[in-house]
Amino acid sequence: MSCELSQPAQRVLDALAGGQPKSRTELAAAAGIWKSNIGRYIVELRDKGLIRGERGDGQSVLFTPTKAPDIDILFDVFVRRAKP
């Protein structure tokens, strides 16, 4: 299974690296992506099993990295990222 990520999706994943849950608005700001476009990158990461979303206190969904992503997916993501 290939897990090549788009550059914006990689920035969203990097924004979640601290492990703190973030809303769409927070992710967009942290990754430097327009709020109106963040959804497509959240879907990309969720479909690859790298993040999950849960309802927070209000109506917003908070996103976190998955606890145990497939090791092959992580290897693929970071090896491709390291290549120039």
Side-chain angles (χ1 to χ4, degrees), residues 58-80:
Q59 291 188 0
S60 65
V61 175
L62 298 177
F63 297 92
T64 57
T66 55
K67 297 293 183 204
D70 185 295
I71 191 68
D72 293 328
I73 291 173
L74 285 178
F75 179 78
D76 196 30
V77 167
F78 290 107
V79 167
R80 288 178 192 267

Side-chain angles (χ1 to χ4, degrees), residues 12-23 26-27 30 51-52 61-65 67:
V12 172
L13 190 59
D14 290 345
L16 287 170
Q20 293 296 322
K22 289 186 172 58
S23 68
E26 293 168 326
L27 282 174
I51 66 171
R52 64 186 176 134
V61 175
L62 298 177
F63 297 92
T64 57
K67 297 293 183 204

